[in-house]
Amino acid sequence: MKIPLAGVIGCPVGHSRSPVLHGTWLQQHRIAGHYVPLHVEAADLVGVLHTMPRMGFVGANVTIPHKEAVLALADDVSETALRIGAANTLTFGPDGRLHADNTDAYGFIANLRQNAPSWDAASGPALVLGAGGAARAIIVALQDAGVQEIYLTNRTAARAEGLAQEFGVTALPWADRARRLPELSCLINTTSLGMAGQAALDLDLTALPATALVTDIVYTPLETPLLAQARAQGCMAVDGLGMLLHQAVPGFERWFGTRPEVTDALRAAVLAA
Ligand code: ATR
């Protein structure tokens, strides 16, 4: 019997936590499979994708800079990946077809469901800070979860306006990012502000209702200054590591046939790596 292989394709790929994450699950479930990091330059992407199934790969995660390029190379692209405009999960079908999906939106919502189960998506507007690739996936997640009103703000206004038009949400000037706080049910940071070595996000949350949920895609540190501020005033605060862990679940299940769980032990293993 062939040992199933999966991996993460990126450039650079050395920083990826996916090998530890999937490796932990493979061990836990005693599955005879392997998950490896694959450094792939843009010029080699087509050839690598062509060769992988013949080498025993059943699927792969995709990271920077290939998340958009794989859409054009796949035989089937999920509706979610099309809306986000990027894929992070590839499956090589037994029929030889390459299927591309994006599980970031799923991962975002699954993290909130696990860590803030009382949060009701329909209870009020959400504000998304930032307008990069992560913001695209999170807007799709919020729309699918039933958030009625989504505000979006970004340092570079043109990027927020472009996304607002594409997704039918409302762009706000970056300078006015505090204005809507009193009405929010959810605040999401998708910028790199608050990451270790970077400036903190300059936003006073005092006007945010205590019922609001604050979450961050930054997970180094786990407790960003934004999350610490939210927690200190009694809001729900959910760190970004869970999104990374949950987005990996559908791929693992498709490739290895077992649905894995996101546990505290898994968090600890990924953090220790
Ligand atoms: P990703 O695809 O991971 O979301 P990205 O496309 O590089 O990454 O986006 C990073 C986000 O962080 C952007 O919204 C960026 O704002 P700009 O579009 O103005 O660049 C935001 N960002 C990064 N550094 C920032 C800073 N110092 N102040 C405000 N926003 C910042």
Side-chain angles (χ1 to χ4, degrees), residues 130-135 154-156 159 174 190-193 198 217:
N154 191 52
R155 175 182 61 180
T156 308
R159 281 185 97 188
W174 183 245
T190 78
T191 74
S192 46
L193 293 169
Q198 289 241 16
I217 65 157

Side-chain angles (χ1 to χ4, degrees), residues 162-197:
L163 242 60
Q165 204 166 27
E166 185 178 341
F167 289 102
V169 303
T170 306
L172 302 175
W174 183 245
D176 291 348
R177 59 193 177 279
R179 187 170 294 175
R180 299 285 181 169
L181 291 181
E183 57 182 286
L184 295 184
S185 88
C186 184
L187 172 71
I188 307 110
N189 175 46
T190 78
T191 74
S192 46
L193 293 169
M195 198 180 278

Side-chain angles (χ1 to χ4, degrees), residues 162-253:
L163 242 60
Q165 204 166 27
E166 185 178 341
F167 289 102
V169 303
T170 306
L172 302 175
W174 183 245
D176 291 348
R177 59 193 177 279
R179 187 170 294 175
R180 299 285 181 169
L181 291 181
E183 57 182 286
L184 295 184
S185 88
C186 184
L187 172 71
I188 307 110
N189 175 46
T190 78
T191 74
S192 46
L193 293 169
M195 198 180 278
Q198 289 241 16
L201 174 69
D202 180 17
L203 182 61
D204 180 349
L205 299 185
T206 310
L208 196 63
T211 50
L213 163 69
V214 180
T215 185
D216 206 322
I217 65 157
V218 172
Y219 57 85
T220 48
L222 278 179
E223 185 84 339
T224 60
L226 179 75
L227 293 184
Q229 198 190 154
R231 223 181 287 279
Q233 65 180 66
C235 296
M236 289 178 274
V238 176
D239 69 60
L241 182 62
M243 180 178 171
L244 170 78
L245 306 181
H246 281 282
Q247 64 75 34
V249 169
F252 188 93
E253 184 178 19

Side-chain angles (χ1 to χ4, degrees), residues 39 71 93 113 119 123 137 190 214 241:
H39 182 108
L71 290 186
R113 297 262 181 268
W119 177 68
S123 64
T190 78
V214 180
L241 182 62

